[in-house]
Amino acid sequence: MNEKIKKIIQDSIETKQKLLQDEKIIETIDKVVDNITNAFKNGKRVYFCGNGGSAADAQHLAAEFSGRFYRDRKALPAEALHCNTSYLTAVANDYGYDVVYSRIIDGIGREGDLLVGLSTSGNSKNIVRAFEKAKEKKMITVGFTGNSGGEMRSCSDYLINIPSADTPRVQESHIMAGHIICQLVEEKYFES
């Protein structure tokens, strides 16, 4: 069992090593930091969405902005779109699960806001539809996916496609990339 544990840790390290060597993704993360910082400075909001474990990651990252990361500071306007269970279950029941995120983006999204979608496959229909709606509203879209990018590749303004097809390794790297973004946005936004 110890060797299996070591192998899983090594696989996670190797995924992050590939990420470390991918200059395009590093540059994309840098651009996302700038876009989120500018959005907050201009009174815009950042919305997050995902399914399953990616929904938990979306909620986690939204809380880093609306709560705090390293600094005691004012809250930043960020939220995860799945946290209103009455909305989520009513829309899923009445209209279908594929529109739970696009419908709320239609209602609350504004030009210049950001929508961050997390999907390891990049093919989650409800996130793809939300990105399409966000584009109509002139929002900025940031996709967190696995290696291929899936359908989200074509509808993301910025794509952080982790170089792996292994869902747990992708999700581990999503949180790492998300934490990097949260830390750097916090530093840039609150620099004196």
Side-chain angles (χ1 to χ4, degrees), residues 108-123:
I108 66 174
R110 300 289 176 256
E111 183 174 345
D113 288 344
L114 277 90
L115 176 60
V116 180
L118 291 84
S119 169
T120 58
S121 69
N123 294 319

Side-chain angles (χ1 to χ4, degrees), residues 13-57:
I13 291 167
E14 287 173 9
T15 298
K16 291 178 177 81
Q17 287 287 357
K18 289 179 192 171
L19 185 57
L20 181 62
Q21 302 304 317
D22 192 324
E23 286 301 320
K24 184 176 180 188
I25 294 177
I26 301 299
E27 289 173 19
T28 299
I29 291 171
D30 186 42
K31 289 175 184 172
V32 170
V33 168
D34 287 342
N35 273 270
I36 292 175
T37 303
N38 291 334
F40 286 148
K41 285 182 177 180
N42 291 312
K44 303 300 180 183
R45 304 176 68 80
V46 179
Y47 300 105
F48 291 83
C49 59
N51 297 290
S54 293
D57 292 343

Side-chain angles (χ1 to χ4, degrees), residues 48-49 53-64 66 79-80 82-83 118:
F48 291 83
C49 59
S54 293
D57 292 343
Q59 187 172 341
H60 175 163
L61 295 173
E64 301 291 18
S66 59
E79 64 180 291
H82 61 277
C83 292
L118 291 84

